[in-house]
Amino acid sequence: FDGYEFHDGPDSVGSAGYNMYVSKEKAESLDLISIETETLNEAKLYGRDYGNEEKRQDFVYMKSLPTDEGPRDSIRLEGKRRFDRGLFVIDLHHMPAGCGVWPAFWLTDETNWPNNGEIDIVEGINYQNVAKTALHTSAECDMYQQVDPTKKDWYLGPII
């Protein structure tokens, strides 16, 4: 986890999530986060016929836990490296779901939010079974309307 900062403290005011983010040390001591190496059969992993070829791969496991004080202990990882452009890909074998879980992959400049915007590439809360995307900007931002705002039948695909 050397490339990540563990946010340590309450959720942001805008989200007002009912959890308390913990440090790396506390996350490890509570067994909230771990990296485990698993042997995978390529055919099972990708749904293709690769024969019996097996592959060893590291997986990150994260969870949250209830506390006696109320808010759940949880994990928020923020990348240390900053980008001003690029192609960003997330490769998931499973999108977590459950009480107090808020899996998200988004890009923002928190030091100048919302003026520099935020792109929520994928975000889900608790037991949602669809991925949500969003674009946050300042009030002065104006975009040419691409989608009829009165339409409510946009495709919401399942999280696979």
Side-chain angles (χ1 to χ4, degrees):
F1 298 104
D2 293 339
Y4 297 91
E5 294 284 345
F6 281 71
H7 182 78
D8 191 3
D11 200 359
S12 61
V13 174
S15 298
Y18 196 57
N19 56 48
M20 181 65 69
Y21 296 117
V22 299
S23 67
K24 177 183 178 186
E25 293 75 22
K26 186 169 183 180
E28 290 173 337
S29 72
L30 293 172
D31 196 31
L32 294 180
I33 193 161
S34 64
I35 298 176
E36 298 182 22
T37 303
E38 298 180 7
T39 301
L40 305 171
N41 178 292
E42 291 283 338
K44 291 179 186 174
L45 180 63
Y46 298 109
R48 298 181 189 138
D49 185 10
Y50 289 103
N52 292 327
E53 183 179 340
E54 291 187 341
K55 177 181 181 182
R56 296 192 49 79
Q57 185 168 349
D58 291 336
F59 287 91
V60 175
Y61 287 89
M62 296 186 281
K63 60 184 175 183
S64 67
L65 291 174
T67 65
D68 293 336
E69 297 81 30
R72 298 179 70 87
D73 283 336
S74 188
I75 299 160
R76 177 175 172 176
L77 298 176
E78 299 178 16
K80 291 179 182 178
R81 188 168 174 201
R82 300 295 184 237
F83 301 89
D84 59 5
R85 67 178 93 58
L87 171 66
F88 303 93
V89 177
I90 183 168
D91 182 12
L92 298 172
H93 291 277
H94 170 73
M95 186 75 158
C99 184
V101 177
W102 191 324
F105 181 62
W106 40 267
L107 308 170
T108 188
D109 174 6
E110 286 191 348
T111 60
N112 197 17
W113 188 93
N115 295 328
N116 285 354
E118 175 182 326
I119 304 170
D120 297 338
I121 297 167
V122 62
E123 189 168 22
I125 302 170
N126 296 321
Y127 290 100
Q128 283 181 324
N129 62 359
V130 294
K132 302 218 175 169
T133 60
L135 176 63
H136 303 275
T137 65
S138 63
E140 294 80 30
C141 181
D142 187 20
M143 291 175 40
Y144 174 75
Q145 186 65 41
Q146 298 290 325
V147 178
D148 181 349
T150 62
K151 285 193 163 232
K152 301 293 182 198
D153 60 344
W154 299 341
Y155 173 75
L156 296 175
I159 298 174
I160 299 174

